[in-house]
Amino acid sequence: LGRTELFSLVEHSGLKIQGKDPQMVFSTMLWREPKKIVRLKEHGYWLADEPFPEAGYVPPGTLG
């Protein structure tokens, strides 16, 4: 998912992110969790421990 789409889903779930620019705060939160979330070029954000064959992503430490 892209950041805007993911942010929208988070907001609709009831979570409010505070700050001057809530989407940028959210982006920083994602960036600070590299063991949980990865950003895949042209594909958006993805769970770091889940393979994403369409993007050619194999989690580190697993056999691809």
Side-chain angles (χ1 to χ4, degrees):
L1 295 171
R3 181 183 71 181
T4 302
E5 184 180 4
L6 188 54
F7 181 79
S8 179
L9 290 170
V10 167
E11 273 199 322
H12 283 102
S13 74
L15 181 63
K16 290 293 181 189
I17 297 175
Q18 303 295 314
K20 185 174 181 178
D21 183 346
Q23 278 198 34
M24 187 54 67
V25 171
F26 182 62
S27 183
T28 300
M29 291 168 71
L30 294 172
W31 177 77
R32 289 181 175 169
E33 292 293 339
K35 291 183 180 177
K36 296 180 183 178
I37 304 289
V38 293
R39 185 171 179 263
L40 304 173
K41 188 176 181 179
E42 299 181 18
H43 293 279
Y45 293 94
W46 187 254
L47 296 172
D49 61 352
E50 294 291 325
F52 189 178
E54 294 85 2
Y57 176 72
V58 177
T62 62
L63 299 176

